[in-house]
Amino acid sequence: MSTRLVPVSRPSTPYSGQRHAPRPKTAFDPFAKSAAGLIHGIKRRWARERRRRKVGRAYDMAQEIARVIPRGSEVLDVGCGNGFIAHHLNGMLGRSVVGIDLGSDAEAAIDYRQYDGARFPAPDESFSAVTLCYVLHHAQDVQVVLNEMRRVLRDGGLAVIYEDIPASIWDKSVCWIHNRQWRGRTGPCTFRKESEWRALFRSLGFEIVSERSLSRWRNLTHPVSRRSYVLKQIPIYRACPKDR
């Protein structure tokens, strides 16, 4: 009869991890936890404050625009960005405002349509007013944008335009910084003087109804000279064939 040998010990299996003893608590732990909570709270408050300022500036601009555009007008906001100006105009004008921009969507809840940078996503003569708030200096071909504005506006329609004006060396410096910040996203910016904007608008068949200078300090993070223009679409009368 054979005797089976039973091993006294078996080889240990490899251990996948290593257990660490918990870090001993110190007298500074409550202070570190409080500091982390304080920093998190400051970040949340700062994010809320930035959103309030953004929405508040959009509300102020929407109020200015609503004084010029008749209530009930069909409005297209070109380069609407976050969409808050269009959102406020919805309530002020009593009609849904359409916003277009290069992005896939807007932050505000509006009727948003993506723009390919060439042709506005809208039929001919479909709006009675168009707004361009600090948009035209981003256009790589400003005449294409203004011709599209003419195409979608009805005869006698209004255009409300806001632009940064390089009126001084300080303004040119601020515009240069703005160009550096944006040229990687939208291409190089082109800032024009007041006389250059007037000549351009008139050459494309727009009558300047009114214009006014705006305070450079309305946005403390971008203190540059500004100007607003209200343009009117000059009707194009097509010659009718003579009766024979």
Side-chain angles (χ1 to χ4, degrees):
M1 181 175 180
S2 61
T3 304
R4 187 174 64 175
L5 298 176
V6 179
V8 177
S9 63
R10 296 181 180 178
S12 60
T13 57
Y15 184 55
S16 58
Q18 185 177 3
R19 179 176 296 179
H20 297 278
R23 183 178 64 85
K25 294 183 178 181
T26 68
F28 295 101
D29 285 355
F31 297 101
K33 187 175 181 180
S34 298
L38 178 63
I39 292 172
H40 179 67
I42 290 173
K43 288 182 178 179
R44 290 183 60 189
R45 286 174 180 269
W46 177 244
R48 286 199 299 267
E49 181 61 26
R50 288 186 64 187
R51 181 179 174 84
R52 289 192 190 101
R53 288 171 58 86
K54 180 167 57 177
V55 174
R57 284 197 299 267
Y59 182 82
D60 290 340
M61 290 196 66
Q63 275 192 318
E64 291 182 6
I65 295 169
R67 295 189 190 107
V68 177
I69 298 175
R71 183 173 175 79
S73 297
E74 294 173 291
V75 179
L76 175 67
D77 186 12
V78 179
C80 65
N82 54 42
F84 286 118
I85 293 177
H87 175 74
H88 293 311
L89 283 174
N90 285 342
M92 295 176 184
L93 299 178
R95 189 151 193 164
S96 178
V97 175
V98 176
I100 66 172
D101 210 322
L102 301 176
S104 57
D105 56 10
E107 190 175 346
I110 61 170
D111 181 357
Y112 180 81
R113 303 173 191 178
Q114 191 168 14
Y115 169 44
D116 63 6
R119 184 178 175 84
F120 292 174
D124 295 356
E125 301 181 2
S126 52
F127 293 96
S128 50
V130 173
T131 63
L132 297 101
C133 300
Y134 305 107
V135 170
L136 286 179
H137 61 257
H138 289 288
Q140 298 309 292
D141 191 335
V142 69
Q143 290 195 20
V144 170
V145 177
L146 292 176
N147 283 331
E148 276 297 286
M149 183 173 75
R150 167 175 278 284
R151 180 183 66 81
V152 301
L153 272 175
R154 301 188 181 103
D155 285 347
L158 295 177
V160 182
I161 297 173
Y162 287 79
E163 267 304 319
D164 295 336
I165 306 295
S168 66
I169 295 176
W170 171 268
D171 297 327
K172 292 176 182 177
S173 300
V174 175
C175 291
W176 181 84
I177 294 171
H178 186 76
N179 177 50
R180 295 277 295 182
Q181 293 173 333
W182 282 89
R183 66 182 181 182
R185 288 180 278 179
T186 61
C189 301
T190 302
F191 297 94
R192 293 173 171 83
K193 298 178 181 178
E194 300 170 29
S195 58
E196 293 173 329
W197 282 121
R198 292 191 198 102
L200 180 61
F201 296 148
R202 287 168 179 155
S203 69
L204 295 175
F206 291 98
E207 174 190 350
I208 301 176
V209 177
S210 66
E211 61 175 293
R212 65 189 182 94
S213 180
L214 306 171
S215 171
R216 71 176 69 246
W217 303 110
R218 61 167 44 201
N219 183 354
L220 295 178
T221 61
H222 189 68
V224 66
S225 178
R226 297 176 170 86
R227 203 161 187 87
S228 69
Y229 299 88
V230 178
L231 312 179
K232 186 175 182 180
Q233 170 91 313
I234 299 176
I236 300 176
Y237 297 100
R238 297 176 177 83
C240 298
K242 295 181 179 179
D243 295 333
R244 294 184 179 178

